[in-house]
Amino acid sequence: MGKAGRFVCVFIPMVLTIASLIFQIMVGLGGTNANNSYLSNIYFLQANTTAAAHNSSLINMPANNQTDPLDKTASGKIIFENFYAIGLWGYCAGSGANTTSSVLAVGQSTARSVDFCTAKQLHFAFDPATVWGLNSTMANNLFDKDLQNTLTWYAQTASKWISTLYIIAVVATAVEILIGIGGLFSRLGSLFTTLASVVTSIFLWSFAILATATYVGLGGAFNVALKQYGITFYIGTTMFIYMWLAVACSLVSGIFWAFSCCCCSGRSREPAYNKAAMAERTPYTYERVDGPYAQNHAAPLNNVGGRPTAYEPFRHGN
């Protein structure tokens, strides 16, 4: 197949690995820039709280610890942003609603305007009681036991593992790309790249599965407890598409890396007719070659030195 075939065998998994890294980076950039409407629209989970702002049972409840940067409470009463989009490192909030929502709350706008995004946190976990400034009594009234247990597990365990697995997966993918350059020159390089791809896929799969289970479960728990107050949570489609595309590209690239280990050596194959010609030649045999002036002439052999026959190399008498 030669060098060109080797290049093709390595080029395909390399492109897929780079694509996986790009998708992973997009996951990490989601919810980090209020000035970029596209990045702020990449999130795991979003809360629509427009209807809650008109719910008298909520806005008349006292709040002790107001922490939302744009909340300007009057007499300690709760004031909600219209939405809260939860990303990997923080959340974005603002006015209006996201038109991609499958359920639109009553009276919510279809225009989406991001007012701010929080600073990045390594092990970020969205805590509605803190964000909305709820005191312990009000939080206990709003959040049932199942939601409280889910939030505790999310904050203390899930969020830490999600961010840790994500960082490891990104670093492992970058290392895989560097090692993959060696795969262009030999099958041994492809072997090391395949091993790196296996490690990357394990961490990337773990991150995607844990993040999906966490935010789908968290959204369901929020909806059960808070939908009656006009607060609706839904999954961010774009975030999950990027995340699972990264997983798919990593898996397929690993298959191609493994294929390049056993195939596509990069060596040029000798033509078959050359091999056949060599096989017909027996070692240490004498082949008589006719001279250019001996064509169409039968030249008799002369006796040399009184010998009965002419001397010929490699000829042995019996």
Side-chain angles (χ1 to χ4, degrees), residues 66 81 118 196 210 238 279 284:
Q66 202 69 41
E81 295 290 341
T118 59
L210 180 59
T238 305
Y284 309 110

Side-chain angles (χ1 to χ4, degrees), residues 34 36 54 58-59 80 85-87 89 92 105 122-123 145 160 183 186 208:
N36 189 311
H54 305 285
L58 288 178
I59 61 177
F80 291 102
I86 304 169
W89 313 114
C92 296
L122 179 58
H123 302 302
K145 194 66 175 178
K160 295 178 181 179
S186 68

Side-chain angles (χ1 to χ4, degrees), residues 14 17 171-183 193:
M14 179 65 78
T17 306
V171 173
T173 305
V175 172
E176 178 184 343
I177 293 173
L178 295 177
I179 298 176
I181 298 175
T193 310

Side-chain angles (χ1 to χ4, degrees), residues 59-183:
I59 61 177
N60 291 328
M61 291 182 180
N64 290 340
N65 303 314
Q66 202 69 41
T67 58
D68 192 322
L70 293 187
D71 279 343
K72 297 177 175 59
T73 59
S75 303
K77 302 300 190 240
I78 301 174
I79 296 180
F80 291 102
E81 295 290 341
N82 283 2
F83 68 88
Y84 298 83
I86 304 169
L88 184 62
W89 313 114
Y91 72 90
C92 296
S95 58
N98 194 330
T99 55
T100 61
S101 172
S102 57
V103 179
L104 294 178
V106 177
Q108 81 179 53
S109 171
T110 57
R112 190 174 192 271
S113 175
V114 178
D115 295 330
F116 70 94
C117 293
T118 59
K120 301 179 185 66
Q121 300 179 34
L122 179 58
H123 302 302
F124 170 75
F126 183 77
D127 182 6
T130 302
V131 173
W132 298 335
L134 309 180
N135 57 37
S136 58
T137 301
M138 187 174 182
N140 291 331
N141 291 335
L142 287 178
F143 307 150
D144 57 27
K145 194 66 175 178
D146 290 338
L147 179 55
Q148 291 181 29
N149 292 335
T150 302
L151 286 172
T152 300
W153 173 78
Y154 166 57
Q156 297 180 358
T157 304
S159 62
K160 295 178 181 179
W161 275 107
I162 288 173
S163 57
T164 300
L165 290 172
Y166 171 81
I167 293 173
I168 295 176
V170 171
V171 173
T173 305
V175 172
E176 178 184 343
I177 293 173
L178 295 177
I179 298 176
I181 298 175

Side-chain angles (χ1 to χ4, degrees), residues 32-44:
T32 59
N33 190 345
N35 297 321
N36 189 311
S37 59
Y38 186 77
L39 293 180
S40 63
N41 199 36
I42 301 176
Y43 51 84
F44 286 111

